[in-house]
């Protein structure tokens, strides 16, 4: 696929999910055909090299009914570097017994695309520290 087409698919998957189950960063509902099976997914607390493992991790983390993901601007394509970049804002409730609510945070995503038109890496940085993210996860509300 060409990069602008990939960017459109990513934009849809980020906000609504590939099949409407919610933005893929909180639901795992992404279009698997645009990723390599051995795609590497990097964020401040995880580094996974497997599309299946990444999707599984996302499906058990957030409750999509009480969480959201929003694109802050359309994805930006860099044909020369074969990258797509986007900034998103997310917030939600984790699927843990104490249902921790995670305050809104921003993520900066970079997808790297191989010569076959498949995403081989997704790198994500956050505007909150990994320590703060973990603190929110384990904060028990009474």
């Amino acid at each position: 696929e060409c990069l602008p087409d990939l960017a459109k698919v990513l934009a849809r998957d980020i906000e609504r999910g590939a099949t409407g189950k919610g933005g893929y960063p909180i639901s795992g509902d992404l279009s698997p055909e645009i990723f390599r099976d051995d795609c590497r997914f990097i964020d401040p607390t995880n580094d996974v090299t497997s599309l299946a493992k990444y999707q599984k991790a996302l499906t058990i983390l957030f409750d999509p009914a009480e969480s959201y993901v929003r694109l802050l601007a359309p994805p930006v394509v860099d044909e020369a570097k074969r990258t797509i970049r986007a900034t998103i804002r997310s917030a939600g409730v984790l699927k843990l017994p104490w249902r921790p609510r995670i305050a809104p945070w921003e993520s900066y995503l970079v997808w790297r695309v191989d010569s076959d038109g498949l995403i081989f890496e997704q790198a994500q940085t956050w505007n909150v520290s990994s320590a703060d993210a973990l603190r929110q996860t384990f904060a028990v509300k009474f």
Side-chain angles (χ1 to χ4, degrees), residues 56-126:
K56 178 67 173 166
L58 293 177
T59 62
I60 62 173
L61 191 58
F62 280 93
D63 180 347
E66 296 186 60
S67 306
Y68 72 85
V69 181
R70 298 286 178 266
L71 269 174
L72 297 185
V76 176
V77 171
D78 185 328
E79 295 274 2
K81 292 182 180 179
R82 297 198 55 77
T83 61
I84 302 168
R85 299 173 185 273
T87 303
I88 62 174
R89 181 173 295 127
S90 309
V93 174
L94 297 180
K95 293 179 180 178
L96 294 170
W98 58 95
R99 311 284 294 162
R101 181 166 296 281
I102 307 302
W105 81 96
E106 291 182 10
S107 302
Y108 181 67
L109 295 122
V110 179
W111 296 273
R112 296 176 58 204
V113 182
D114 69 15
S115 59
D116 292 326
L118 296 174
I119 297 168
F120 69 91
E121 183 180 271
Q122 173 185 291
Q124 185 175 168
T125 55
W126 302 334

